[in-house]
Structures are given as structure tokens and as C-alpha cells.
Amino acid sequence: MNKKYILGGMLMSAAAFGHAQTASNVTVYGLVDTGVEHVTNVATGGGNTGSLTRMPTNTGNFPSRIGFRGTEDLGAGLKAVFTLENGFGPDTGGLNQGGRLFGRQAFVGLSGDWGTVSVGRQYTMLFWGTLDADILGSNVFGSGSLDSYLPNARADNSIAYRGTFSGFTVGATYSLGRDATNVAVANPAANNCAGENAADSKQCREYSALLKYDAPTWGALVAYDRKYGGSTGNGTTIGPTFDGLTNSGLTDTRTTVNGYVKLGQAKVGGGVILRKNEGSATPKSNLYFVGAAYSITPAFVVDGEVYRLDTKDSPNDSNLFAVRGTYNFSKRTAAYVTAGRINNSGAATTSVSSGAPGSNSLPGGSQTGLMVGMRHAF
């Protein structure tokens, strides 16, 4: 083929792509967050322990991601919206969220003054419900260490609504089948519960709701999230279930009440997450948390949080303490040091780190974690 036709076609394609970007207001964004962590007293088998030094896969301060977000003005105040967001481990470059291409978010919807309605793989209202009050959030030593669902509260095949009116935010999700991934090993995002089964209308459904109020210096909310279990329809489970919900008659429910207040350069947040997991031998538990952040200078922020996981009618409890110091070189680039300490009781083996699987303690053991890392947003 003549080179001038090839070049002409490439220029026409580039021009068309540029026009589509302008018309649709497409934004490419991302975050790379990685470092090295050290965890003590990791169970190695036979009642022995050792220390573990690694580069986390799941999170540092924040999980790494790359995404595409766009809007199109349809007129009369109506917009089309979409988000495609990939999650990856910067230690190897591999995909997270069970190997999905866009495992963090993948949805399309319509938005206006009345709010946004969207369909696809999306966060549940439990995620939005803990975002402001849980100070450390997705930090490698944080609430995700005690409940891996919290920073990964997403649902496949979901319909969502969220809107804000005079400071009040209301939202809800409903999933026809909350997790279509089928994997052989546990990870925070894979429950092997595809759903959408004509033989069982409740299988793998999920729904959530949120009511929130934000004032200029404080906010408070209540949020609710319920997951249903599943089977193949003939009584056998789909695959390994990591929440114990082996049939659609079993549910896992979380309710949170929390809030935050801003005091000058400081922010304080706290709350409780009440859980009832019918797939567990000890179904009821409460996760309490309180934390604070303070900007010592415009570039240097120190924050910390205390968590207590109280398992009802069981000695298997965990207390987690974590602190973090972050220096912002710019709006996009920062370096941080974070440390955590977990004290387990009873038979609890919870790890101080949510950075990757494989760092649990011995039953009733304690651990200390330290991580030095860097992040860059674009």
C-alpha cells in the first residue's frame, strides 16, 4: 500500500480521536503507589514465626490504578457519564480484583441535577459511607486489615443511584449478581458468587443504601450493605467461598454509623460498623474506629487511627493501632512512612497488613508493621 495513504489514514484517525475526546470530555487519570513493608511475627508453620519484607500488591497508602472518565453534555442539564478503572499491583504489574481488566470500576450512566443513575461494576454505598470518617482508609495498616471488604466494597451487575441536595446525600445500589470472578485462592475482591440464576432469584444478590449530611465543618451518615450467598442451583457451591455464604439463604450484613469534624488544620473521624455474617460460626461483630489527621505544614501531614474488632460471643478479637506521616513534594507526588501494631486474642490470626495475603500471625499473636513508600498521581 502507498505510504501516503497509510499516513493519511493515521492522521484522519488521530483527528477523529481528538474530536471524540473534546466532544466527550474524556480524562485519563491514575495513581502509582508502592514501597517496601516489613512485618514481624508472621506464622510460617509448625507454630513458628518469621519476619517478612515485601513490596505489597494490594495497597500502600492507596491502591494503584489507571482509569478513563468521561462526560457528554446531552442538553437540558442531562449528561452521559462513564468510568473505566483498572486496578494493578505495582510490584509485578499484574491485575488486581481477581484479574479483571477494569476491576475497580466499569459503569455508564446518566447524570443531572437530580443525581446520577449508573449500571455496571460499581462501589456499594458502604464504600462511600466510610470514605470520610475512616481517616486511614485504604492504608496498608488500616480498616482493610480487619475487614478486607471495606476498601473493596464493589458489586458486579449493579444499578446505582446517588444524589446530593442541600448538603444531604442519598444513595442506593442493587446487584443482580455481585461477583462473577471465579478464583481458587482468597483475595479481597473475589467471592465466587456470579448470581443471575433463573433457578434461584436471591442468589448472589447485593443491595446497599446511604443517607449522609455534610456541613462546612462536619458530617454524619448511616449506610447499610447486604450480600446474599449462592450455589449452582443443585445444592453445590460455585467455588471456594471466602465469606462462608454457601447458599442464597445466608446473608452478610454491615451497617455503619459514623461522622467527622474539621477543626482548623485538623480532622477527626470515627464510627462503628455492625456486622452479621450468617456464614460464620461467630456471626456478630462490631468494628470500632477513631482517627485524626493534622497538617503540621502545608506539605507535611500526620494522621493515625485506632481500631477494635469485637467478635461477639468469642474471644477472637483484634486491636489495631496505626500512624502515618506524609510529605507532599507537590500536588501529585508524595512520600510516606506508616507503622502499625495489631494485638490479637483467642484464636484470631489477623495480620497487621492488608498489603498482600500470606502475613497472618499465630493464633492470638501480635505483629508490628512498617512501610516506607511513594505515590504519584497523574
Side-chain angles (χ1 to χ4, degrees):
M1 183 180 291
N2 193 305
K3 290 183 178 180
K4 70 178 181 181
Y5 293 112
I6 298 176
L7 179 59
M10 291 172 62
L11 292 174
M12 291 176 63
S13 297
F17 180 68
H19 174 73
Q21 279 189 307
T22 302
S24 299
N25 189 28
V26 176
T27 300
V28 180
Y29 65 93
L31 176 73
V32 183
D33 185 331
T34 190
V36 177
E37 72 165 339
H38 181 78
V39 181
T40 66
N41 297 327
V42 176
T44 59
N48 299 315
T49 62
S51 61
L52 177 63
T53 301
R54 65 184 177 185
M55 196 170 289
T57 298
N58 297 330
T59 188
N61 269 184
F62 302 99
S64 297
R65 81 279 314 253
I66 184 169
F68 307 86
R69 181 186 297 121
T71 63
E72 182 185 10
D73 191 344
L74 302 177
L78 187 66
K79 293 182 179 180
V81 297
F82 81 90
T83 296
L84 296 171
E85 189 173 283
N86 161 282
F88 65 92
D91 56 333
T92 66
L95 295 174
N96 285 343
Q97 290 80 47
R100 294 173 172 89
L101 178 59
F102 295 110
R104 291 181 58 83
Q105 300 182 80
F107 66 83
V108 64
L110 293 173
S111 178
D113 293 339
W114 42 267
T116 300
V117 173
S118 51
V119 291
R121 176 169 169 81
Q122 306 175 77
Y123 289 112
T124 77
M125 292 300 134
L126 182 68
F127 174 86
W128 299 117
T130 58
L131 198 60
D132 288 322
D134 184 4
I135 298 296
L136 292 182
S138 58
N139 191 57
V140 66
F141 314 126
S143 55
S145 300
L146 299 171
D147 185 349
S148 63
Y149 182 63
L150 296 179
N152 297 284
R154 305 176 181 90
D156 296 346
N157 308 300
S158 62
I159 306 164
Y161 168 79
R162 193 155 54 106
T164 300
F165 312 93
S166 302
F168 285 95
T169 299
V170 294
T173 64
Y174 184 79
S175 171
L176 301 170
R178 58 183 169 83
D179 192 342
T181 298
N182 189 5
V183 297
V185 295
N187 71 71
N191 294 301
N192 294 343
C193 203
E196 299 177 300
N197 185 344
D200 188 343
S201 62
K202 291 194 302 182
Q203 175 178 288
C204 302
R205 299 298 170 101
E206 180 276 340
Y207 61 86
S208 67
L210 174 148
L211 175 61
K212 182 183 182 186
Y213 179 75
D214 290 291
T217 59
W218 64 276
L221 71 79
V222 58
Y224 180 89
D225 185 296
R226 169 166 283 189
K227 301 188 298 181
Y228 286 82
S231 68
T232 60
N234 59 9
T236 61
T237 59
I238 293 171
T241 57
F242 308 122
D243 48 20
L245 304 181
T246 55
N247 65 73
S248 62
L250 299 175
T251 61
D252 189 1
T253 304
R254 293 171 176 84
T255 304
T256 184
V257 178
N258 62 55
Y260 68 91
V261 60
K262 297 177 182 178
L263 305 167
Q265 300 301 310
K267 178 181 178 181
V268 179
V272 60
I273 300 171
L274 312 176
R275 183 180 183 185
K276 183 179 180 182
N277 179 7
E278 296 176 345
S280 171
T282 52
K284 293 184 178 181
S285 64
N286 295 340
L287 175 57
Y288 303 93
F289 58 95
V290 59
Y294 184 77
S295 297
I296 297 177
T297 71
F300 185 52
V301 180
V302 174
D303 47 14
E305 201 156 2
V306 178
Y307 303 87
R308 173 168 173 76
L309 179 60
D310 179 15
T311 305
K312 300 301 180 182
D313 302 315
S314 169
N316 306 333
D317 302 328
S318 301
N319 296 316
L320 175 63
F321 314 87
V323 294
R324 178 175 63 191
T326 304
Y327 184 80
N328 296 286
F329 295 101
S330 69
K331 292 182 178 180
R332 294 185 174 186
T333 303
Y336 59 87
V337 177
T338 182
R341 172 75 177 180
I342 194 166
N343 297 318
N344 294 307
S345 61
T349 62
T350 305
S351 174
V352 68
S353 173
S354 62
S359 60
N360 291 79
S361 74
L362 291 174
S366 299
Q367 289 183 327
T368 299
L370 177 68
M371 181 173 175
V372 178
M374 177 179 177
R375 69 172 188 264
H376 176 76
F378 59 90

